[in-house]
Amino acid sequence: MTATVLEHIQLRFQALKLANEDLYEFLNQFRDWFNVALANYEIFLEDNWFDGKTTLEYTLRCLDTFNIVVFAEDEYRNFRDTQTWHLGPYVRSYWVVDDPWETIVQFINNNTVPRLHDVTLP
């Protein structure tokens, strides 16, 4: 992946972060933009249900390698009736890595697969 593409992603990341004091709003806006703007990668939400709480993991996936990295989570309360889990009120959003931007860059760099048009033939 070229530095220009990563710089463009970083500019959007920083702009959305500055525009949103609320991490939940930032994460969802960044995910929406990222999934439209960047081919072969996606950010999706993976739910995990525990007794008393549910987490939604912001998971970055490379569609070429199917490798994933989780970089943030939303936390909700939950409850269970006799048969079904129910999502309760939102609690908080938080980073699960020390440096989310560096985690994203490193993941993209480690999972970039050369395309035929990127290869220089002798």
Side-chain angles (χ1 to χ4, degrees):
M1 175 139 327
T2 66
T4 307
V5 172
L6 288 173
E7 288 168 0
H8 183 69
I9 299 167
Q10 183 178 26
L11 287 173
R12 178 58 77 161
F13 184 91
Q14 290 173 337
L16 288 172
K17 201 169 178 185
L18 287 172
N20 292 287
E21 291 182 19
D22 185 288
L23 183 58
Y24 176 85
E25 292 295 326
F26 162 76
L27 288 168
N28 283 285
Q29 288 179 20
F30 181 68
R31 178 175 51 95
D32 291 346
W33 174 84
F34 187 94
N35 288 344
V36 170
L38 199 58
N40 302 320
Y41 292 89
E42 70 176 344
I43 297 173
F44 68 95
L45 299 175
E46 180 74 26
D47 59 322
N48 296 296
W49 294 78
F50 307 99
D51 192 25
K53 79 173 185 177
T54 297
T55 59
L56 298 180
E57 299 174 333
Y58 290 82
T59 306
L60 175 56
R61 175 171 42 204
C62 174
L63 299 175
D64 292 318
T65 65
F66 295 102
N67 291 333
I68 62 170
V69 65
V70 175
F71 61 92
E73 290 184 351
D74 293 335
E75 182 179 321
Y76 294 82
R77 290 193 183 100
N78 67 27
F79 62 95
R80 187 176 183 163
D81 60 24
T82 56
Q83 298 180 2
T84 307
W85 284 100
H86 300 277
L87 191 62
Y90 168 80
V91 176
R92 66 186 178 127
S93 297
Y94 53 93
W95 299 113
V96 297
V97 295
D98 291 334
D99 187 340
W101 173 246
E102 186 57 37
T103 299
I104 291 168
V105 169
Q106 188 174 43
F107 181 84
I108 290 172
N109 284 332
N110 290 341
N111 287 279
T112 298
V113 175
R115 304 270 179 245
L116 184 56
H117 64 274
D118 295 335
V119 176
T120 303
L121 299 174

